[in-house]
Structures are given as C-alpha cells and as structure tokens.
Amino acid sequence: MVLFLLDQWITGFYFSLGLAVCRRFPRLVTSPVVQTFRLFGGWNESEEDMAEAKTSFSAEHDDEIVESDIELDNSDVVEPEEDAPQLMGDPTVEVTDENRDAAQSEKSKALDAISEGKFSEAIDHLTRAIVLNPTSAILYATRAGVFLKMKKPNAAIRDADAALQFKPDSAKGYKARGLARAMLGQWEEAAVDLHQASKLDYEEEIGSMLKKTTVQVEPNAKRIGEHRRKYERLRKQRELRKAGALKDGKVISVESGRELEGKMKERMVMVYFTAKWCGPCRYMGPVYTKMAAENPRVAFLKVDIDEATDVAASSPWNISAVPTFFLLKHGKLLDKFVGADPTTLQRMLSLHSSSSDDD
C-alpha cells in the first residue's frame, strides 16, 4: 500500500512538472514525444487548456511572442523558378503600323502553339511580338498566361506588372498576377488581384475560373489576415507594456527611475513611496490597493525606496519620509501628501480625479 501511494505521488509530481514546463515553453506541446504521450492517454488536458497556456505565455513574457502555425491549403503552391528575367520590350521604341502587324502575326503563331501545348515555342513568338510592340498590355498578359501554364509564377508576375503599367485596368493583367501569386502562396495579394480582375471583366469563363481558384485563395487569405491581426495586436500590447503601459485596477511596482519615467506619461498616475521597515506604510498598503481597484482610470504605482534608490533621492521626488504620495497627470505634478491618513489621501485623489475624465 505504501509503495502504491508512493508511486502515485511520484507520478503526480512528474506530471505536474511536465505540465508546468509545457506551459512555460508552449512549443514543446507539438513535439513528437509529447504528442505520443498524449496519444496513449498520458495527457488529459483539453485543447482549450493548452491554447490558454500558450496565450498566457505570450501575455506574461515580453521578450518573445511565439506565433502558431496557420493551417493553409497549399496543395497547388509551387517553388518559385530561378530563371533569369525574360526579355521585355523597350517602351521608348516608336511602333509603326508595320511593327503592329508583325506583332499581331507573332501573337497568332503563339496562340497556335499554345493550342498544341508547345509553350516554349509560344513564349518565343510572344517575345518577338513584344519587341515589335513593346507597349501592348495584351501581349504581356498573354505571355504571362503561358508562363503560368509552365509553372513559372515569377515570370508571370513580371509580365502582369508590365501589362498593368501600360493598361492599369487590364483584367487579364490582374488575373494573371493573381493566379501567379496564388501559385506562390501569396494568398492575400492573390485575393486582391483576382477580385479586381472579376470587377473589371466578369466573363463567364473568367468567372468560373476565378470561382474555382478563390475557393482556395479566399479561405487562405482570410486565415492569414486573422492570424496577422491577432499577432499585431499581441505585439502592440507587448510594446505598450514595455513602454510602461499600466494595468487598470492594480498596483504596479516600479524598480527604476527609467521605468517610472516611462509610466508617468500615462494618463493620471499616483506614485506611492514606501519601505518594508515602515510601520505606517504597512497600514497604508491595503488602503492603496483598495483605492487602485476602485479607481481603474487612475494608474497606481508603488516605489520601494530601498530597492529603487536612484528614484527616491532624485528630483522631483526628493523623498525624506515615507509613506509619501504624488499625484500626476501626463507627467505634471498635481498634488503631494506625506503621511498615513487614508481620508486625506482619498480627498486628494477625489479633488483631481475629475480631470482624468477628459482622457
């Protein structure tokens, strides 16, 4: 019986230790070892609990925000080609009627080659056509479409950009660039281009193709957007904390002059100078905490003069006795009180707190 109880205690201890480690390092949750442990029943915590552990990690640790992976449909994504950029036309060249006719002839040959699946040959014809008529958006858009068939999205994007340069409302240019970006997994940009193409020229053929493509593009773009906004919000919250943002309704301990200076830029702030050996301070501590909870629009800071020695003796504080209380707004001193009288402290706050309503 004793051995059984000892075994249960040891098992519980190591389980709790492992859980604490995974809360501290959420990346471990997805490791093969932990996944195996969970698979065979050694882990009873829900997915929601693990999500909460990851969230608490991000909220409590300012040095790093660990982004989770996004589940995307990347089944049609290809590796970008490393080919040299294709030959582009010289837009400064004067295009004659003869050149236009010759370019149209090359384009016709290219279309014949495309119908036969001879894509490299089609590229050659279209390149000659572009050299002859270097400002034709349709030629660039057509060549971009061939590059897409050849799984060369970078080349397609270059041609689509050229088509849009010469014709900003080119539906074929937006369509080619959107499809190329989707091929590269650039889902948000692809969604923007494909929607624009649909607005400019909603032909039945184009519409069906866009509908098929956006089944993959739009969900991926939405997931990426939500993911980005989430972590932008978390990073903003982290930066606010680092810059001295304050927690409503709580007393915040300050340990250095630089930290205090940053926090004083916030709205209305009360600063309480105290010391562990101070009897009146021990009496005022709970009073101060209660005031913080009752006045969430005012930030309540606490400075231990023995721990933050650089603060107590510096200007404008010059602390000669504790407890001492300062009331400031945006760094400007409003009032000061020295002593352990809760009524006087509350009166000082009430006198000035109405001004915080303007923030």
Side-chain angles (χ1 to χ4, degrees), residues 97-166:
D97 291 339
E98 183 180 349
N99 285 348
R100 286 192 181 89
D101 292 340
Q104 185 61 34
S105 175
E106 292 291 344
K107 179 186 174 184
S108 298
K109 295 176 182 177
L111 295 177
D112 291 339
I114 292 172
S115 65
E116 296 174 5
K118 300 176 181 179
F119 301 135
S120 295
E121 182 179 330
I123 291 293
D124 291 338
H125 288 300
L126 287 168
T127 300
R128 285 194 286 270
I130 287 171
V131 171
L132 291 166
N133 189 1
T135 59
S136 172
I138 190 63
L139 291 177
Y140 285 106
T142 303
R143 190 171 67 170
V146 180
F147 279 128
L148 287 174
K149 294 178 181 295
M150 300 173 71
K151 305 295 185 184
K152 294 186 176 184
N154 283 336
I157 289 174
R158 286 191 290 268
D159 272 350
D161 286 341
L164 293 169
Q165 177 185 350
F166 297 118

Side-chain angles (χ1 to χ4, degrees), residues 129-232:
I130 287 171
V131 171
L132 291 166
N133 189 1
T135 59
S136 172
I138 190 63
L139 291 177
Y140 285 106
T142 303
R143 190 171 67 170
V146 180
F147 279 128
L148 287 174
K149 294 178 181 295
M150 300 173 71
K151 305 295 185 184
K152 294 186 176 184
N154 283 336
I157 289 174
R158 286 191 290 268
D159 272 350
D161 286 341
L164 293 169
Q165 177 185 350
F166 297 118
K167 187 181 179 184
D169 60 347
S170 170
K172 295 185 183 299
Y174 279 112
K175 181 186 72 173
R177 192 170 68 180
L179 294 174
R181 285 174 165 174
M183 197 177 289
L184 290 172
Q186 299 172 2
W187 301 113
E188 289 181 292
E189 297 87 346
V192 172
D193 281 341
L194 291 174
H195 278 295
Q196 186 62 23
S198 180
K199 289 178 183 179
L200 291 170
D201 187 4
Y202 192 81
E203 296 178 2
E204 191 64 31
E205 182 180 357
I206 296 177
S208 62
M209 185 182 347
L210 292 178
K211 184 177 179 180
K212 178 181 178 181
T213 305
T214 52
V215 167
Q216 182 181 29
V217 173
E218 287 189 348
N220 284 346
K222 183 178 179 181
R223 293 188 191 102
I224 292 172
E226 291 173 348
H227 180 86
R228 185 184 66 253
R229 288 189 292 273
K230 171 185 175 181
Y231 284 97
E232 283 177 352

Side-chain angles (χ1 to χ4, degrees), residues 318-337:
N318 300 316
I319 303 301
S320 58
V322 287
T324 297
F325 302 87
F326 292 84
L327 190 63
L328 308 97
K329 184 176 180 182
H330 300 308
K332 181 180 179 181
L333 180 63
L334 298 177
D335 213 336
K336 173 184 176 181
F337 168 62

Side-chain angles (χ1 to χ4, degrees), residues 17 47 199 215 248 251 266 281 304 358:
L17 178 61
E47 295 295 333
K199 289 178 183 179
V215 167
D248 293 342
V251 176
E266 305 280 343
C281 297
D304 189 313
D358 300 331

